[in-house]
Amino acid sequence: MTSKTFMCSARLLRHCLHKHRRVFRVDPVRRLCYGSHQMAAVRSAVRTVDLRSDTVTKPGAAMRKAMAEADVGDDVFGEDPVVNELQKEAAEMFGMEDTLYVPTGTMGNLIAVMVHCRERGDEMLLGDLSHIYIYEQGGSAQLAGVHSVALTTLADGTFDLDRLISKIRHGYPNSHYPRSRLVCVENTHNIQGGRVLPLSFLQELRSVADKFGLAVHMDGARVMNAAVAQGVHPSVILQHCHSVSVCLSKGLGAPVGTMLGGSKDFIQRAVRARKVLGGGMRQSGILAAAGRIALSDLIGRLEEDHRNTKRFAQALAECDPPLYQLDLASVETNILRFRVQDDYMSSEEFCERMARVDEEEVKALGQGVRVLMFPHIGDAIRAVWHLGISEEDTELAIQKAQFVAQQLRLKSVRAA
């Protein structure tokens, strides 16, 4: 090697060792919601109660066994026996002609919009606080060319039907306007705190839709929670809809998957839409096996989640000092929305405090408790119960919330 070559190599080595490194900053809200390496590196003595979402559930032993033993085939060819059984069982449960297994709820909703609104420039009407409108990236416009009309979402998750009627377009094919084709509802309603849509509202909505030739799609990600809360079979709710998407990976505990239900013709078209969106999986029976367990074994236990949610809400309402603001009458299922009355603490700051453990807390409670929650719309906090949260976990979360309230009172007294 010549001296010139050696000098170049040495210079290159120094450049690699000392070159500028890119710094990636983590958004504090995202860190709260999804965790970080720092949050994970806590002492083993600390107990974590994860109320961020019912999507954090993990499959249990029965699910894992079913997945490991699944007899699979190529689902794109319609040859996976587990997927086929799951779709048959879901159709019977929903009271619909057919269902389709898709990877996610967002994909299921988008497929429904694509099938019901077959021409670019068609229009759907939906609540302005609905998941489809707020949290799905405008996929209906982005990928399907469908225009949205947003209606004011009421506190119970419904919208005014007279207002809906006033927004329906007439006179198609008038060249100036889109064509109204679809109405979407969400049950239970996420942003409004897990509210259950009244059956009377769904019945009246279907009558309006039939009168004006519209289809009704339900984002039923948590419709099983609605059925348990109302004490009815899911088909009693879904009889008022032309299509529905039902998540298996939230309160029902499966790791992946949503069931999209509708008529035979709807599902035939949905298969085509699923393919173009990249949702045509092959040996997906391994995942569908967990979905079968979810539908057969885990719907009844949702009542436990509702009970724990109401227990926590009641404790917040009775907290001394009275730090928390919530409406107990609106707590119907597994989602709780509340606010902190202290003007000096935002929802992000409260969630940070609930996730943090200090020595004073360990002395007062006998152990450290990290309670993970979600900063939500309108400076609110969202907490969601699921199969990973026991009654004991709920009591620990209550103790932590009471401890935080007492700390804030002491801080105010000292400041005064």
Side-chain angles (χ1 to χ4, degrees), residues 65-308:
K65 184 174 186 293
M67 294 169 72
E69 298 176 355
D71 180 17
V72 298
D74 192 320
D75 182 48
V76 174
F77 295 160
E79 296 175 356
D80 191 300
V82 183
V83 173
N84 292 339
E85 281 300 309
L86 173 61
Q87 291 173 165
K88 178 182 177 182
E89 291 163 359
E92 292 174 357
M93 179 177 290
F94 299 173
M96 293 182 164
E97 291 181 2
D98 206 354
T99 67
L100 181 68
Y101 184 57
V102 301
T104 71
T106 295
M107 182 181 287
N109 287 331
L110 179 56
I111 290 172
V113 172
M114 292 173 70
V115 173
H116 289 304
C117 302
R118 300 179 187 178
E119 295 182 16
R120 298 184 68 82
D122 281 350
E123 182 176 79
M124 66 176 178
L125 302 98
L126 72 174
D128 62 350
L129 295 180
S130 65
H131 196 281
I132 294 175
Y133 189 72
I134 298 290
Y135 290 126
E136 298 184 9
Q137 209 184 101
S140 55
Q142 213 183 140
L143 301 175
V146 174
H147 182 254
S148 296
V149 173
L151 304 163
T152 300
T153 303
L154 303 179
D156 63 353
T158 66
F159 41 74
D160 185 82
L161 293 180
D162 289 332
R163 185 66 174 162
L164 168 69
I165 292 171
S166 74
K167 292 293 184 180
I168 297 173
R169 313 274 185 170
H170 303 286
Y172 181 83
N174 188 308
S175 60
H176 297 285
Y177 306 121
R179 174 171 52 172
S180 299
R181 294 296 299 266
L182 176 65
V183 182
C184 297
V185 292
E186 182 178 337
N187 195 16
T188 64
H189 201 285
N190 175 17
I191 288 181
Q192 296 295 46
R195 298 301 299 269
V196 179
L197 301 189
L199 292 173
S200 57
F201 168 78
L202 293 174
Q203 184 175 10
E204 292 174 29
L205 173 63
R206 180 59 184 265
S207 295
V208 170
D210 288 346
K211 179 179 179 180
F212 292 101
L214 305 178
V216 177
H217 172 69
M218 178 178 287
D219 175 0
R222 299 180 176 91
V223 74
M224 296 305 169
N225 291 88
V228 169
Q230 292 177 320
V232 300
H233 192 273
S235 61
V236 174
I237 298 173
L238 299 179
Q239 65 179 318
H240 305 297
C241 308
H242 295 89
S243 62
V244 65
S245 60
V246 180
C247 259
L248 304 175
S249 58
K250 290 187 169 67
L252 298 182
V256 177
T258 285
M259 303 309 300
L260 180 63
S263 67
K264 289 284 187 184
D265 178 69
F266 173 88
I267 294 299
Q268 286 176 358
R269 296 175 183 274
V271 170
R272 180 173 173 81
R274 182 185 69 173
K275 182 66 174 176
V276 77
L277 294 177
M281 300 182 287
R282 298 295 177 172
Q283 287 71 35
S284 51
I286 293 174
L287 301 173
R292 294 189 68 192
I293 298 291
L295 287 182
S296 64
D297 297 352
L298 296 176
I299 294 176
R301 64 149 308 280
L302 294 175
E303 186 175 358
E304 177 184 340
D305 298 337
H306 300 176
R307 185 169 60 250
N308 286 332

Side-chain angles (χ1 to χ4, degrees), residues 387-406:
L387 62 82
I389 303 300
S390 65
E391 184 177 347
E392 180 186 359
D393 292 323
T394 303
E395 293 302 319
L396 289 173
I398 290 171
Q399 292 177 25
K400 178 63 174 272
Q402 291 171 339
F403 175 78
V404 169
Q406 291 163 3

